């Protein structure tokens, strides 16, 4: 995702992972945010994006071939399911094997909700091992696992990927990713895999 800070607009660039060359760019999409949390649904060939500032409770669905916006949708989550006041979404991921989405709610890495394939909220996943003092970033999920991405905040100068069971929220492990200690720090944004190859990206 490419973010124009002055105009609060984003575009998507499609990159060939074998060459790291840009093969297609979208037009301006209706998302006033970094759009650093995107999920690819291979069953219907769409990219789902958290819309961010001004539209925090909605998503944008983009055709993955044409990179054109198909529609936007508001995600309504009850206070009971959210475990408190619902401020919106901060990240989204798609589990291809089980055909559902998971979303992280804005304001806390501790609140993760499962949505069905039609974006209807199904269940809040009560997770273990949250480190609330780190900054919430994206989510990734595959098979029985979810990967919760957090970056440095305040005196805590490191990034973290927390691995949990996607159904139960049980803590399975953690990976600390260096950020540096001073100057321009590396802010971990997301993680994903392609076959056996894993990628992480930084701001």
């Amino acid at each position: 995702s490419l973010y124009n800070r002055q105009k609060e607009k984003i575009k998507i660039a499609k990159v060939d992972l074998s060459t790291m060359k840009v093969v297609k760019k979208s037009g301006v999409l209706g998302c006033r945010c970094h759009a650093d949390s995107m999920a690819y649904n291979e069953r219907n060939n769409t990219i789902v994006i958290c819309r961010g500032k001004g539209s925090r409770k909605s998503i944008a669905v983009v055709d993955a071939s044409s990179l054109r916006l198909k529609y936007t949708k508001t995600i309504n989550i009850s206070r009971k399911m959210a475990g408190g006041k619902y401020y919106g979404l901060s990240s989204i991921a798609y589990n291809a094997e089980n055909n559902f989405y998971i979303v992280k709610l804005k304001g806390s890495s501790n609140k993760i909700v499962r949505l069905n394939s039609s974006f209807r909220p199904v269940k809040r996943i009560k997770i273990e091992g949250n480190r609330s003092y780190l900054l919430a970033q994206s989510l990734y999920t595959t098979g029985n696992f979810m990967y919760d991405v957090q970056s440095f905040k305040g005196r805590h100068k490191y990034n973290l990927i927390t691995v949990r069971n996607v159904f139960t929220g049980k803590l399975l492990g953690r990976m600390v990713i260096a950020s540096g200690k001073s100057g321009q720090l590396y802010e971990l944004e997301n993680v994903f895999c392609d076959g056996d190859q894993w990628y992480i990206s930084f701001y």
Side-chain angles (χ1 to χ4, degrees):
S1 63
L2 308 170
Y3 173 52
N4 185 322
R5 188 184 303 273
Q6 283 71 41
K7 296 185 177 181
E8 287 289 339
K9 303 291 186 181
I10 69 140
K11 294 182 178 181
I12 293 176
K14 186 185 291 187
V15 177
D16 185 330
L17 289 177
S18 62
T19 63
M20 288 300 173
K21 291 184 177 179
V22 175
V23 296
K24 193 174 186 65
K25 288 183 288 185
S26 75
V28 173
L29 298 172
C31 305
R32 294 162 55 196
C33 58
H34 290 202
D36 54 1
S37 182
M38 302 188 292
Y40 174 60
N41 184 330
E42 61 192 48
R43 298 191 186 212
N44 58 24
N45 195 39
T46 57
I47 300 168
V48 183
I49 307 168
C50 290
R51 295 186 69 203
K53 186 165 57 176
S55 304
R56 295 193 189 281
K57 295 182 180 180
S58 70
I59 56 168
V61 179
V62 173
D63 183 284
S65 297
S66 67
L67 298 186
R68 290 177 178 160
L69 179 68
K70 296 182 69 174
Y71 62 91
T72 61
K73 183 178 179 66
T74 299
I75 308 299
N76 294 309
I77 298 176
S78 69
R79 186 182 183 94
K80 181 179 180 181
M81 186 173 291
K85 187 171 181 180
Y86 171 45
Y87 295 100
L89 310 173
S90 66
S91 56
I92 188 166
Y94 177 67
N95 190 297
E97 294 86 350
N98 297 290
N99 193 28
F100 61 68
Y101 295 89
I102 55 174
V103 291
K104 189 186 295 185
L105 305 189
K106 185 168 179 58
S108 174
S109 283
N110 196 39
K111 296 179 179 180
I112 296 175
V113 173
R114 187 168 83 228
L115 312 179
N116 68 10
S117 59
S118 300
F119 306 111
R120 183 177 65 82
V122 175
K123 178 184 179 182
R124 181 160 66 98
I125 305 169
K126 296 181 180 179
I127 63 170
E128 295 179 353
N130 180 50
R131 293 188 176 177
S132 59
Y133 48 80
L134 295 176
L135 187 64
Q137 297 286 358
S138 65
L139 282 173
Y140 182 71
T141 177
T142 181
N144 293 331
F145 306 102
M146 64 174 160
Y147 301 81
D148 182 8
V149 179
Q150 294 178 277
S151 61
F152 61 86
K153 185 178 181 182
R155 62 185 178 85
H156 303 285
K157 297 293 194 295
Y158 66 93
N159 302 297
L160 187 68
I161 301 173
T162 302
V163 187
R164 300 183 180 93
N165 183 289
V166 73
F167 296 99
T168 66
K170 180 178 175 58
L171 177 64
L172 301 175
R174 293 188 175 100
M175 292 173 276
V176 174
I177 311 293
S179 67
K181 298 294 184 183
S182 62
Q184 185 67 54
L185 303 185
Y186 289 92
E187 179 184 351
L188 182 62
E189 295 280 356
N190 59 48
V191 58
F192 70 94
C193 72
D194 179 47
D196 293 331
Q197 181 67 54
W198 286 78
Y199 299 84
I200 57 176
S201 67
F202 299 89
Y203 175 77

